Amino acid sequence: MKKRGIGILLSVLLILGFLAGCANNGANNGNTGNNGNAESNEATSEDSGDVIKIGVFEPMTGPDAAGGQMTYEGIEMANKEVSEVLGKKVELVLVDNKGEKAESSNAVSRLVEKEKVVAIIGSYGSSNSMAAGDIVKTAQVPAVGCSPTNPLVTAGNDYYFRVCFIDPFQGTVMANYAAKDLGAKKAAMITDVQSDYAVGLSKFFTDAFKKITGDDNSIVATANYNSGDKDFSAQLTSVSGSNPDVIFAPGNPQDGALLIKQARDMGIDTPIIGGDTWEAPEFISTGGPAVEDAAFSSHFTAESPVNETSEKFMEAYRAQYNKEANAFAALGYDAYMVIIDSIEKAGSADSNAIRDQLAKVSDFVGVTGTITLDENGDATKDAIINQVKDGQFKYLTTIHPSDLK
């Protein structure tokens, strides 16, 4: 009986050991590979002292996935180029915010609380960035936006910065283009009311257009829609009845292209212009020939490099991705490099030290131009206007802030 008891005990111990091994293997399997999300980085010890973590929250899936993916390509390129700072490896921790406000809040909370990142990059979509604002401010972890242009992203938040221009400037740029280049005296608006970006940009375009034309009644019609709508016939019928000289329709690239396509199918040939979100492959693939000549504001063009840094970036991007660089990749690259530069100048990976250096960024030579962050953490820089020609995005002109004064 004693030998039998010992045998049973040994058998139980062996089974428990086997089960524990399976559990450990299952946990490790969830953390291996380069699958582009936060789980792939959990195996790194936060207390090792030889790794600096920079978080990224971008929409890798969902309606804004194209913008998020292009942005992350630029961030990855920058990380490969400068993978160490202060003698430590820089590790990117990416979390997909799916282009949703709630997911953005969850993503940033994870980056701060679980991943212990020292700084954060993101996000495409002003609404996503605004959802993260209070979290980074409370946690005192600085965030640098690549392309969120709504002024509220950084307003009253000492821990949020951005390397892009903002909507008051972008709206004024497009209002000037409409009035001076297109000769428009009357404009109509079709706005995605679910997008903080689109609502804000429409307002700033309206204010600027009225000022430029000197006519408070120069906006002759307005119409709204919701992100993801497929039928814009009612809105187009409504605004076209007012005979505008131009239609301003900021929104995501799929909606914008579909709206233009339906307008042309309805026989409406009024110029339709938009904002920087239109610079995505989906705009052309969805709209096809209908979006020919559509113009929009942008942050960058591969056709007109602004400096040597731009040229090197375009060569490297072309070699890695076998395509021309885009504005969102360029902004992602700049956001990463601004953080690395701030860490170097601070001589520390402490989040507050990084924040203090970000607040001092001046004349930083980036891919998208020379970046100086003002008292609100916003970049003062030029804007580009691009246009669809022969099924491709083509550079049209550069607008300097001084041009609009």
Side-chain angles (χ1 to χ4, degrees), residues 171-180 182-189 202-220 244-246 248 273:
T172 302
V173 164
M174 293 311 294
N176 271 264
Y177 173 76
K180 297 177 181 179
L182 298 180
K185 291 181 172 56
K186 298 184 296 181
M189 319 288 295
S202 290
K203 177 188 181 302
F204 295 118
F205 177 95
T206 296
D207 293 344
F209 194 75
K210 289 180 178 179
K211 182 178 179 181
I212 294 165
T213 60
D215 181 4
D216 285 340
N217 297 312
S218 58
I219 303 298
V220 294
D245 300 315
V246 66
F248 186 57
I273 60 177

Side-chain angles (χ1 to χ4, degrees), residues 57-94:
F57 74 115
E58 291 288 346
M60 306 306 287
T61 59
D64 294 330
Q69 290 165 8
M70 288 188 291
T71 301
Y72 193 65
E73 287 177 351
I75 297 170
E76 273 194 314
M77 273 192 59
N79 178 247
K80 289 178 180 178
E81 183 176 324
V82 181
S83 58
E84 292 187 2
V85 64
L86 305 182
K88 298 180 180 181
K89 177 185 176 183
V90 180
E91 180 181 324
L92 295 176
V93 184
L94 171 64

Side-chain angles (χ1 to χ4, degrees), residues 245-269:
D245 300 315
V246 66
I247 298 172
F248 186 57
N252 71 47
Q254 296 95 331
D255 293 348
L258 190 57
L259 183 151
I260 295 174
K261 190 173 187 300
Q262 290 180 16
R264 303 308 180 227
D265 289 342
M266 293 169 64
I268 300 170
D269 58 3

